[in-house]
Amino acid sequence: MTTRTQKFKSNAEQSPPMFENKLLNRLSQTHIATPIVIFLVYATGLLWYTEVRTDIPTLIVVLVFLVGTLGFTFMEYAVHRWVYHPPHGASEAYKQATYKLHGMHHDYPKDKRRLAMPPLVAIALATGLLFLFELVLGQYAFSYLAGFVVGYALYLMVHYTVHIYAPPRNFLRALWVNHSIHHYSEDEVLFGVSQPLWDYVFGTMPKSARDKQMAREIHR
């Protein structure tokens, strides 16, 4: 990505240690393929379980799966906007916590090993969501969570690709431009990474003259 501002520290391929403890620091890093493979396999298992252990019609399974994928896109937007980016007036403790979760990524956006949540943390969250979804959705929880984690895997693919590779010369280029604006120009817009749907819904598409100019200049 072409740098237009100084809203980051370095485009180096490795960021400083997140933890002093070497083991903890190593666990905070992951190859992007690891969580993608884990969650695609997990989703396959959930769908298989739904097919063999429930009487839900296949068409309904597919529809619930797609709703789960859509549900993830909202979660992607909501967590990115309202959790990872501290609101004005947030405490220092909250800012420090979100810096480890996301702020370091803004400072070192090219670090390949910190472009995904560590697998152990992601698996723990997915397991917690399975119990929550089952409580609310019953037997539909398995296909919903399958769509949800596939949405996460697709998000990881997009996020990694827009940070590491040059943009294509087609309509997908907009994903590169949008995420570059968020990183290098204005971090209070464009919270959707895999798609801009919820930015349109919640009015966080670029509006200022600076952002519009940025959109025209990035990746020309």
Side-chain angles (χ1 to χ4, degrees):
M1 295 178 179
T2 304
T3 304
R4 306 290 180 174
T5 75
Q6 294 301 314
K7 291 181 69 63
F8 67 105
K9 290 183 178 178
S10 173
N11 265 331
E13 294 185 3
Q14 186 170 352
S15 58
M18 184 178 290
F19 301 100
E20 292 184 7
N21 183 284
K22 291 184 178 180
L23 177 59
L24 280 178
N25 190 65
R26 183 66 189 86
L27 290 174
S28 72
Q29 301 172 313
T30 183
H31 189 285
I32 193 66
T34 302
I36 291 174
V37 170
I38 287 173
F39 285 109
L40 290 179
V41 171
Y42 186 35
T44 301
L46 289 167
L47 292 174
W48 173 84
Y49 183 88
T50 303
E51 281 293 304
V52 301
R53 294 298 181 93
T54 74
D55 56 0
I56 304 173
T58 300
L59 178 59
I60 300 301
V61 171
V62 172
L63 290 175
V64 173
F65 174 89
L66 294 175
V67 172
T69 305
L70 180 64
F72 174 79
T73 65
F74 174 73
M75 182 66 71
E76 170 194 332
Y77 177 90
V79 171
H80 192 185
R81 179 178 180 181
W82 291 304
V83 177
Y84 284 169
H85 285 266
H88 297 294
S91 68
E92 285 302 315
Y94 185 83
K95 290 178 182 179
Q96 290 176 11
T98 56
Y99 181 80
K100 290 186 181 296
L101 291 170
H102 189 66
M104 182 175 282
H105 167 59
H106 269 264
D107 281 349
Y108 302 92
K110 295 290 189 180
D111 186 346
K112 296 179 181 180
R113 303 191 70 84
R114 287 210 168 94
L115 288 175
M117 187 182 298
L120 291 178
V121 177
I123 290 171
L125 287 175
T127 303
L129 287 174
L130 177 59
F131 288 111
L132 175 62
F133 292 161
E134 190 173 10
L135 182 65
V136 176
L137 300 174
Q139 63 180 353
Y140 297 98
F142 307 105
S143 50
Y144 183 88
L145 182 58
F148 195 92
V149 298
V150 165
Y152 177 59
L154 293 174
Y155 154 79
L156 291 178
M157 292 179 195
V158 173
H159 193 210
Y160 183 87
T161 302
V162 299
H163 273 290
I164 303 304
Y165 296 103
R169 295 188 178 278
N170 56 39
F171 70 98
L172 292 175
R173 186 184 190 87
L175 296 174
W176 273 255
V177 172
N178 287 351
H179 205 50
S180 290
I181 290 173
H182 176 77
H183 266 275
Y184 300 123
S185 178
E186 179 55 70
D187 60 8
E188 294 184 354
V189 297
L190 294 165
F191 296 98
V193 178
S194 63
Q195 39 62 48
L197 170 63
W198 300 104
D199 287 295
Y200 282 107
V201 172
F202 289 101
T204 49
M205 290 298 290
K207 294 179 180 179
S208 71
R210 180 183 66 174
D211 288 331
K212 291 177 181 178
Q213 179 64 26
M214 187 77 171
R216 286 192 292 268
E217 290 183 2
I218 287 177
H219 301 313
R220 284 195 304 184

